[in-house]
Amino acid sequence: MKAKKAVITAGGLGLNLLPATKALPKEILPIFDRPVIDYVVQELKESGITDILLVSGKRKRAIEDYFDSAPALEMALEKKHKTA
């Protein structure tokens, strides 16, 4: 089966959303309980996309941090039986 791929372009300064985007990239701004980018990635997964490439700018470290693992946090949550 051939892999389905998607490219998310997450560039730009988010000037239309200032002052909120001064502190956070627009892709990390929350809608209800999750960042916008999480909804996008979840929709792609549910539609059968297997490979997702996210292109962002150098000031968008928060996006990378959001999807990166945090072993210390995960271990602390596991000890408290909060794995959900």
Side-chain angles (χ1 to χ4, degrees):
M1 188 167 124
K2 194 172 184 180
K4 293 182 180 182
K5 301 177 182 195
V7 177
I8 301 172
T9 55
L13 299 175
L15 297 176
N16 291 334
L17 299 172
L18 281 172
T21 55
K22 190 172 180 181
L24 283 175
K26 62 186 175 289
E27 298 83 6
I28 296 296
L29 292 175
I31 294 182
F32 300 111
D33 60 342
R34 299 186 341 223
V36 171
I37 194 76
D38 193 41
Y39 286 99
V40 173
V41 169
Q42 190 63 37
E43 284 292 322
L44 290 172
K45 285 181 176 180
E46 289 174 9
S47 67
I49 302 295
T50 55
D51 297 335
I52 301 170
L53 174 66
L54 194 121
V55 181
S56 66
K58 61 184 175 185
R59 294 184 58 228
K60 306 266 184 150
R61 177 72 191 220
I63 299 170
E64 183 180 332
D65 291 344
Y66 179 76
F67 288 107
D68 202 2
S69 62
L73 175 62
E74 291 167 12
M75 283 190 343
L77 290 171
E78 203 169 289
K79 284 181 182 178
K80 293 182 179 187
H81 305 289
K82 295 185 177 185
T83 56

